[in-house]
Amino acid sequence: MKKQANSYNNKVHTVGIVSSLLIIIALFIVPLGAQIIFGQTVEWGPTFKAMGAAALVFGPVAIIEFLSYLPIIGAGGQYLSFTTGNVMNMKIPAAASGRKIAEVSEGTEEGDAVSMISIAVSSVVTTIIVFVGMVLGSQLLPLLQNPVLTPAFDHIMPAIMGALGIPIIVRNIKTATVPVTLSVILTMTMGYASFMGKQGNMMIIFLVVSLLWAYILYKGKNRGITKAGAKA
């Protein structure tokens, strides 16, 4: 069984790395093609300067997301999610729903496989919807801009996060107490716009706080077990 799991993980990483490299190459083909066809030259100084500025802003977020999402969606789910995008608002809810339907837990081999399948299906469905929207955009636009539906579209992200976050918080109420309380206090103090504007820094802070609080609870639980054993 262990050999099968290792073989599965090796295949996931092989396919994931190869596909990621192909996608990176495809992304570079567009500007290179434009350069060749239209005879334009790349100014490498401003290009690397812009890339460096973007890396400083999004680099910490990318690292934290990589560390945070891996236990939730597994390696295969990460390759697919980071390739297709919309991780927080589509891919993670799809993975969570898939695991719930299949009655498997996150962090297990079965959970990782179900998460990857769910994310793959979500990506296909998203592509189909985007294509339909592109073809029928002019016909759908009046419906999407209807004043009755506008408030719903303005609150899609909070609704998704509520549906995704509340079950996790309730299931791990002790672990979630400090991070959730701190996030609520900071949001009310700083304001939602200011808080979200520092999302990268906040993710790092809350990752550290969550790990420290979970470690404190873990040590406290073990200390309680040790004392109970000593009394017995």
Side-chain angles (χ1 to χ4, degrees):
M1 186 70 179
K2 189 174 181 180
K3 289 183 178 180
Q4 292 179 348
N6 290 334
S7 176
Y8 166 77
N9 289 326
N10 290 336
K11 289 180 180 178
V12 167
H13 286 295
T14 300
V15 175
I17 292 172
V18 171
S19 60
S20 298
L21 291 175
L22 291 175
I23 290 169
I24 292 173
I25 293 172
L27 290 174
F28 276 103
I29 286 176
V30 176
L32 289 175
Q35 180 182 356
I36 295 172
I37 294 173
F38 298 104
Q40 299 295 322
T41 58
V42 177
E43 297 183 7
W44 294 109
T47 300
F48 284 120
K49 185 177 180 180
M51 291 175 63
L56 289 175
V57 175
F58 297 106
V61 176
I63 295 172
I64 296 301
E65 286 183 348
F66 171 79
L67 297 174
S68 303
Y69 296 159
L70 181 59
I72 302 175
I73 57 180
Q78 275 201 320
Y79 283 119
L80 286 171
S81 298
F82 291 161
T83 299
T84 56
N86 290 329
V87 183
M88 182 60 71
N89 61 340
M90 293 194 66
K91 301 307 188 296
I92 290 182
S97 299
R99 288 195 304 269
K100 184 176 181 180
I101 294 171
E103 297 182 349
V104 294
S105 302
E106 63 185 37
T108 61
E109 295 172 0
E110 295 83 0
D112 290 350
V114 171
S115 296
M116 184 174 64
I117 295 171
S118 302
I119 292 171
V121 174
S122 171
S123 301
V124 173
V125 172
T126 301
T127 303
I128 294 174
I129 292 175
V130 170
F131 178 77
V132 172
M134 179 182 67
V135 174
L136 303 177
S138 58
Q139 288 80 6
L140 295 175
L141 194 59
L143 176 63
L144 298 177
Q145 293 179 338
N146 190 298
V148 178
L149 298 178
T150 299
F153 288 111
D154 291 339
H155 295 85
I156 288 179
M157 181 60 75
I160 292 175
M161 293 305 300
L164 180 65
I166 294 301
I168 297 176
I169 293 172
V170 172
R171 189 176 60 193
N172 305 277
I173 188 68
K174 289 184 178 180
T175 307
T177 301
V178 171
V180 170
T181 303
L182 180 60
S183 66
V184 171
I185 293 173
L186 288 177
T187 303
M188 294 179 66
T189 303
M190 300 171 57
Y192 179 77
S194 178
F195 183 83
M196 292 304 295
K198 298 177 176 60
Q199 181 181 7
N201 297 329
M202 291 301 172
M203 288 182 68
I204 297 174
I205 292 172
F206 282 106
L207 179 62
V208 174
V209 170
S210 300
L211 289 173
L212 290 176
W213 179 238
Y215 179 75
I216 292 171
L217 292 177
Y218 172 77
K219 295 294 288 185
K221 182 178 179 181
N222 283 351
R223 192 177 297 114
I225 293 174
T226 303
K227 289 181 179 179
K231 291 180 179 179

